[in-house]
Amino acid sequence: MAGMGTGMAPFRGFLEDRAVLRARGKKIGKARLYFGARHQKGEFLYKKELEQYSADGWLALRCAWSRDQKQKVYVQMLIAEDGEDIWNALKPEAGGHFYICGPVAPLNDIKKALTDIFNANGKGPEYLDELEATGRFATEVY
């Protein structure tokens, strides 16, 4: 999942649902969330609960704060860094999903980062189309 700014809100519900299932003793798989915003202070929505899910071991939380340091950091950069983990979740036999919600501006860069990962693993850009056609990749951008 990649949620930028207020695009994080829909993922909160998804993660809360998983937390409730886990608390009820249901087995849940691992999840990965890329959260991007300009500043951690004042924009790290749902910070305590996200950090708790991460501490519980079922959420890999990766945050990109684009204005908190001299060098800008964006979600697509973290995705590129995590290529092996992304591939292990999205390769055909794994059956994982990837969702994006937030502003439209980074969409092409995120798609490029994913496509680069697919290329490195013997799949071309058409693999992203395949994921989208089968409901394993979806966007809600504005």
Side-chain angles (χ1 to χ4, degrees), residues 3 7-8 11-13 31 33 49 60 63 75 77 88 110 134-135:
M8 173 53 213
F11 296 132
R12 180 185 187 208
L33 172 66
E49 63 193 83
C63 297
V75 165
M77 296 168 150
N88 286 332
I110 292 171
T134 58

Side-chain angles (χ1 to χ4, degrees), residues 42-142:
E43 294 183 73
F44 194 173
L45 307 173
Y46 322 115
K47 179 182 193 289
K48 286 182 182 177
E49 63 193 83
L50 294 175
E51 288 178 339
Q52 184 60 56
Y53 300 155
S54 181
D56 290 344
W58 61 268
L59 177 66
L61 178 62
R62 298 280 278 144
C63 297
W65 312 115
S66 64
R67 304 299 191 273
D68 278 353
Q69 60 284 317
K70 189 175 184 178
Q71 178 94 12
K72 293 180 180 177
V73 178
Y74 296 109
V75 165
Q76 58 268 25
M77 296 168 150
L78 300 181
I79 290 170
E81 287 176 10
D82 296 345
E84 184 177 343
D85 292 326
I86 296 286
W87 177 247
N88 286 332
L90 296 179
K91 61 187 173 183
E93 62 272 21
H97 294 71
F98 198 98
Y99 305 117
I100 300 169
C101 189
V104 71
L107 180 61
N108 286 336
D109 291 331
I110 292 171
K111 284 182 170 183
K112 182 184 180 322
L114 291 170
T115 300
D116 289 347
I117 293 166
F118 302 153
N119 287 336
N121 287 280
K123 294 282 189 179
E126 65 280 350
Y127 188 61
L128 187 60
D129 297 332
E130 180 183 328
L131 291 177
E132 191 166 14
T134 58
R136 293 179 55 207
F137 176 80
T139 63
E140 181 65 38
V141 295
Y142 40 86

Side-chain angles (χ1 to χ4, degrees), residues 4-58:
M4 289 75 65
T6 57
M8 173 53 213
F11 296 132
R12 180 185 187 208
F14 178 73
L15 294 170
E16 284 180 322
D17 183 60
R18 292 171 59 86
V20 168
L21 290 172
R22 184 175 183 271
R24 292 181 180 163
K26 304 280 184 187
K27 183 176 173 160
I28 61 169
K30 300 221 181 246
R32 177 173 293 273
L33 172 66
Y34 294 91
F35 181 29
R38 292 171 300 202
H39 303 282
Q40 181 175 2
K41 185 176 181 179
E43 294 183 73
F44 194 173
L45 307 173
Y46 322 115
K47 179 182 193 289
K48 286 182 182 177
E49 63 193 83
L50 294 175
E51 288 178 339
Q52 184 60 56
Y53 300 155
S54 181
D56 290 344
W58 61 268

